[in-house]
Amino acid sequence: MFVLSDFQRLMVSASEEPEPPELPGGINEEGVAALTALVNAANAVLHHELISRIHCQTPEFFERLVIDVLLAMGYGADRAAMAQCLGRSGDGGIDGIVVLDELGFDSICIQAKRLKPGTPVPISDVRDFAGSLEARRAAKGVFVTTTHFSAGAAEFCSQLVRRVVLIDGNRLAELMLRHGIGIRVQHRFEIRTLDRSYFAPGTVEGAG
């Protein structure tokens, strides 16, 4: 277990503990590796918890979640406009349309499918979504699910003329972590070190 004494040992300066060599920032390589491992482990637990919580929510919650993620990524004008698109009955495989510009010249069609854990999205659903884009003459589409896509779905999308992006549960959780959706910062640490340049001769004008 990584305890406080370990952290203190890893933070010993290079003058007191010659090996491993000190890196810029006052922390040695062993300390960097240990702290990185701790952060990665915490993110992995949070990643799993996000997916589990999403599966426990309602379809309406999942649609609002899709809105929040897309807004955080910079798509769409505002929540109200996007909320009008989602939450209605599907129209030929289209659950919503995100307008990307004020006059509506460019847009993204959305399919948001909340499934039980372990249930894959069949490739037939992806084909239907692509067909709906064709019928609407839409150039872009995003298919978001809480689970995963069946084999061949990604390859099928890569062969389409129209751009279709598939976002499964794992990638959705990664986007939530990256853009701060459904999470909050519990702890934040700053590791500080001596600014040697501040004390270098000749750096302070008019001294003396």
Side-chain angles (χ1 to χ4, degrees):
M1 178 181 294
F2 187 82
V3 296
L4 180 59
S5 60
D6 297 319
F7 182 82
Q8 292 170 335
R9 176 178 58 82
L10 295 174
M11 293 303 297
V12 173
S13 66
S15 61
E16 297 173 320
E17 188 176 71
E19 293 182 355
E22 187 182 21
L23 297 177
I27 182 169
N28 57 37
E29 291 181 352
E30 185 182 356
V32 171
L35 292 175
T36 300
L38 284 174
V39 172
N40 289 341
N43 284 339
V45 172
L46 182 56
H47 185 283
H48 176 75
E49 188 175 2
L50 279 174
I51 296 176
S52 299
R53 288 298 182 106
I54 292 171
H55 280 301
C56 295
Q57 304 300 320
T58 64
E60 291 76 19
F61 177 91
F62 182 56
E63 292 174 348
R64 292 196 302 270
L65 173 61
V66 171
I67 292 173
D68 289 338
V69 170
L70 291 175
L71 282 174
M73 295 175 67
Y75 297 104
D78 54 62
R79 170 183 265 273
M82 296 176 70
Q84 292 177 2
C85 297
L86 294 172
R88 299 176 179 177
S89 300
D91 181 9
I94 303 295
D95 288 333
I97 300 175
V98 178
V99 178
L100 300 179
D101 62 272
E102 188 174 356
L103 296 179
F105 287 117
D106 196 10
S107 61
I108 299 175
C109 292
I110 301 173
Q111 171 80 312
K113 188 171 287 293
R114 175 182 171 275
L115 299 175
K116 294 181 179 179
T119 305
V121 177
I123 193 172
S124 58
D125 285 4
V126 179
R127 289 197 185 100
D128 291 344
F129 180 60
S132 299
L133 297 182
E134 182 73 28
R136 287 178 169 269
R137 297 182 179 179
K140 305 170 185 176
V142 178
F143 199 132
V144 187
T145 183
T146 52
T147 56
H148 63 281
F149 295 90
S150 59
E155 182 180 358
F156 169 76
C157 290
S158 67
Q159 299 172 355
L160 296 173
V161 175
R162 285 168 169 76
R163 177 67 169 162
V164 176
V165 175
L166 304 179
I167 300 179
D168 61 14
N170 285 330
R171 187 178 179 190
L172 178 61
E174 291 172 358
L175 291 172
M176 292 175 67
L177 286 172
R178 185 186 309 168
H179 296 283
I181 303 299
I183 63 172
R184 61 182 176 87
V185 177
Q186 185 175 13
H187 299 291
R188 180 179 284 113
F189 300 96
E190 290 185 357
I191 300 176
R192 303 183 183 186
T193 188
L194 185 69
D195 182 1
R196 301 180 188 277
S197 64
Y198 180 84
F199 298 94
T203 57
V204 181
E205 296 182 0

